[in-house]
Amino acid sequence: MTRISMFGFTGSIGTQALSVIEKYQSKFELDVIVCNKNINLAVELIGRHNPKNVFVTDADARSEIMASCSSEINFFDSMHTLRQYLKLNKSDIYLSAVSSFDCIDLTIEAAKSGKKLLLANKEALVVFGKQIMHECKQAKTEVIPIDSEHFSLFTALKNKDLSEISKIYLTASGGPFVGQKLSELHNKTPEEALKHPNWDMGAKISVDSATLVNKCFELIEAKHLFSLGPELLDIKIHRQSVIHSMLEFKDGSVEAQMSQPSMIIPLAYGLLGGYSQDIKKDFSLDLLNRNIDLSLEQFPDDRKKLRDITLDVMNSEDNSGLVFATLNDIAVKKFLNKKIKFGDIYNLILDNYYLIDKKEVNSIQELESNRIEILNLIDGK
Ligand code: NDP
Ligand code: MG
C-alpha cells in the first residue's frame, strides 16, 4: 500500500490527483488530507475516498464537515496537532497543492520526510525556495514538480550537461488576454480573467496566468527546483500549451518537450512512479493533427517591469520573493473581490515592491510575521 497525504484535496490539482488514485484504489491509502472551507465538496470527497485523517483549516467549516462524515475518520483540531502527527507518521507520497502560501509549514514537513514530494504549490518556492530545496536535499526527499513546464524540464534535464545548454525556455500560454496590450487590460473583470483558454485551474493561479505573474513565479520556481542561474532562464509565449519547455544548446539546436495540456500527466507520473502506459489512450499527443500550432512569440515588452522584479528576486537571497508574492496575493484577492481593477494588480505590485525594505527571513515564524508586516503596511495605505 502506498500511503498518500494531500494538502489542498478540494482544489483543481487535488481533485485531479484523487481521480488518478481512484483508478488504482487497491494500491493507495489516503492518510492525511487538508482543505480550507469548501464544505460540500469536502464532504463528498471524504465520503468517496475514505481518508484516515482530515484537517480543515477553517474552524466553522471543520465542524460542519465533521458532522457530516463517518465518526471513524479522525479530524485534527489544530495545525499544531496535524504537524505533530506528520512528524511521527510518514506517508510515501505528499502532494502539496494548497493555493498561495498559507500552509507552507506542511510543505516543509513533507520536504523533511525523506519520501516523495509532488510539489504543485509554486508560491512556497517563490517565498521559501532555498530553504525548501535545502530540506529536501538534507532528507533525500525526491521532488516531482507538478507544474507542466517544470515537469517537462524535470524529464528534459535528466542526464543533460548544463554546460552544453545556452538557454532554457518556459512557455506561457499568455492566458485569456494573450496578444492584448497592457493599456487595453485595465478594466478586465474577474469573470474575463478566470476564463483560461487551455487550463481549468483554481481562481488564484488563473488570475496570475492572466497577468503573467504566474510565468514570473515559474522562473523563480525553475531556479530553485533545478539550481539554475537566472541568465539561463527565459520565457516564450506559446498559445496552445503543447510545448511546455525548450532547451537550446550551444550550437543553436533546440529540444522541445510536448504533451497535451493536462495536469494528469505529471500527477500520474508522480503517483504511479513513472511513465504510465495506462494514461496513454487519453493523453497521447496526436502528432498528425494539423491543428497543432507550434508557433512562438516574444514575452510582451509592456510587462518588462514584472520581469525586472522577477530578476531581482532571482538574484536575491533575502525576502524579495515573499514581498513579490505577498503583494500579488493582496492584489489578486482585492481584484477577485472587485475592490480594484485588473490593471491595479500591476500598480499595487510595482508601486510597492521597491519601497519595502528587504531583509533575511530564515524560519517559518519570521516568514509569517514578515508577511503580516507587509499586509499591515498595504492595508494602512
Ligand atoms: P485551487 O484554488 O483549485 O485549490 C486550492 C486548494 O487549497 C483547495 O483545496 C483549498 O481548500 C486549499 N486551501 C486554500 N487555502 C487553504 C488554507 N489556508 N488551508 C488549507 N487549505 C487551503 O488551486 P489549484 O489546485 O489550481 O492550485 C493549487 C496549487 O497548485 C497552486 O499553488 C497553483 O499555483 C499550483 N498549480 C496549479 C495548476 C493547475 O492546473 N491548477 C498548475 C500548476 C501549478 P478549499 O477548497 O477548502 O478552499
Ligand atoms: Mg505552469
Side-chain angles (χ1 to χ4, degrees):
M1 276 285 198
T2 304
R3 281 160 63 101
I4 301 200
S5 288
M6 195 181 285
F7 314 136
F9 73 98
T10 47
S12 157
I13 292 288
T15 49
Q16 291 181 80
L18 286 173
S19 76
V20 175
I21 289 171
E22 194 166 26
K23 285 199 181 137
Y24 302 88
Q25 258 170 10
S26 56
K27 275 190 172 186
F28 293 111
E29 180 182 73
L30 269 183
D31 189 10
V32 179
I33 59 173
V34 177
C35 75
N36 186 25
K37 57 180 178 191
N38 189 338
I39 297 171
N40 292 342
L41 185 57
V43 170
E44 184 200 321
L45 293 172
I46 292 167
R48 192 150 151 196
H49 295 277
N50 201 25
K52 279 173 64 186
N53 303 284
V54 178
F55 181 59
V56 180
T57 316
D58 183 278
D60 294 338
R62 188 187 313 145
S63 317
E64 276 199 52
I65 294 169
M66 218 171 130
S68 305
C69 291
S70 155
S71 56
E72 283 178 15
I73 295 169
N74 173 50
F75 278 77
F76 294 109
D77 57 8
S78 70
M79 184 61 96
H80 178 72
T81 28
L82 164 61
R83 286 190 63 184
Q84 291 305 108
Y85 179 88
L86 290 174
K87 278 187 204 305
L88 299 173
N89 300 273
K90 299 253 190 287
S91 281
D92 300 296
I93 299 178
Y94 297 84
L95 173 63
S96 163
V98 166
S99 52
S100 194
F101 44 93
D102 281 340
C103 293
I104 194 167
D105 32 6
L106 298 182
T107 305
I108 298 273
E109 283 309 330
K112 287 180 178 169
S113 67
K115 303 289 185 172
K116 195 195 278 191
L117 169 58
L118 313 192
L119 186 49
N121 180 232
K122 66 186 76 183
E123 291 89 347
L125 285 175
V126 173
V127 305
F128 220 43
K130 190 174 149 202
Q131 294 82 347
I132 288 173
M133 295 314 290
H134 174 76
E135 295 295 356
C136 289
K137 211 167 177 182
Q138 289 283 104
K140 297 196 167 59
T141 299
E142 184 188 1
V143 182
I144 313 266
I146 304 296
D147 202 342
S148 52
E149 302 75 9
H150 304 77
F151 178 69
S152 75
L153 280 181
F154 167 79
T155 53
L157 288 172
K158 270 189 189 155
N159 305 320
K160 290 284 191 317
D161 181 349
L162 272 187
S163 70
E164 291 178 341
I165 296 173
S166 58
K167 214 60 165 180
I168 297 178
Y169 294 103
L170 306 182
T171 62
S173 69
F177 310 136
V178 66
Q180 298 184 47
K181 293 203 172 62
L182 184 56
S183 55
E184 297 169 66
L185 303 183
H186 191 75
N187 290 319
K188 296 289 182 192
T189 62
E191 292 73 23
E192 290 169 304
L194 292 175
K195 263 193 218 134
H196 198 284
N198 307 343
W199 302 93
D200 185 11
M201 309 182 287
K204 158 82 171 44
I205 183 175
S206 296
V207 176
D208 289 349
S209 191
T211 55
L212 299 182
V213 166
N214 179 52
K215 210 48 57 176
C216 294
F217 282 179
E218 289 188 357
L219 289 176
I220 303 166
E221 190 185 355
K223 174 200 140 154
H224 289 298
L225 281 170
F226 308 111
S227 307
L228 301 171
E231 69 294 340
L232 209 53
L233 286 159
D234 206 348
I235 303 170
K236 291 277 182 241
I237 301 287
H238 166 55
R239 297 185 185 212
Q240 274 201 330
S241 303
V242 168
I243 301 174
H244 303 295
S245 67
M246 292 171 290
L247 305 182
E248 184 187 75
F249 297 93
K250 290 230 154 113
D251 63 0
S253 60
V254 174
E255 202 173 283
Q257 272 279 331
M258 302 191 282
S259 74
Q260 276 196 34
S262 170
M263 294 312 294
I264 294 286
I265 297 171
L267 284 167
Y269 183 99
L271 291 167
L272 303 175
Y275 297 110
S276 165
Q277 183 91 25
D278 295 1
I279 66 164
K280 189 174 175 186
K281 68 175 182 334
D282 292 326
F283 296 102
S284 65
L285 188 64
D286 178 4
L287 293 170
L288 299 182
N289 178 352
R290 283 163 176 255
N291 294 324
I292 292 183
D293 178 353
L294 301 181
S295 53
L296 301 165
E297 297 157 58
Q298 288 297 10
F299 188 82
D301 265 355
D302 57 10
R303 259 38 79 85
K304 184 176 176 307
K305 287 183 181 164
L306 273 187
R307 289 289 305 273
D308 291 343
I309 289 180
T310 307
L311 199 61
D312 189 60
V313 172
M314 288 203 282
N315 283 318
S316 310
E317 294 280 316
D318 55 20
N319 66 340
S320 301
L322 177 67
V323 174
F324 184 19
T326 305
L327 291 174
N328 180 59
D329 225 40
I330 298 170
V332 171
K333 280 191 187 128
K334 282 182 190 275
F335 169 67
L336 287 171
N337 291 327
K338 304 201 170 174
K339 299 255 164 58
I340 62 171
K341 303 275 190 189
F342 186 79
D344 292 326
I345 300 177
Y346 296 100
N347 297 336
L348 198 148
I349 296 170
L350 300 175
D351 290 349
N352 291 289
Y353 176 80
Y354 294 103
L355 290 182
I356 296 176
D357 285 337
K358 309 296 185 304
K359 55 178 164 186
E360 290 243 330
V361 164
N362 294 311
S363 66
I364 292 287
Q365 290 74 15
E366 284 177 11
L367 186 98
E368 191 44 33
S369 61
N370 189 214
R371 181 164 84 113
I372 291 167
E373 274 170 39
I374 302 169
L375 289 171
N376 290 338
L377 191 85
I378 301 298
D379 265 358
K381 280 197 169 191

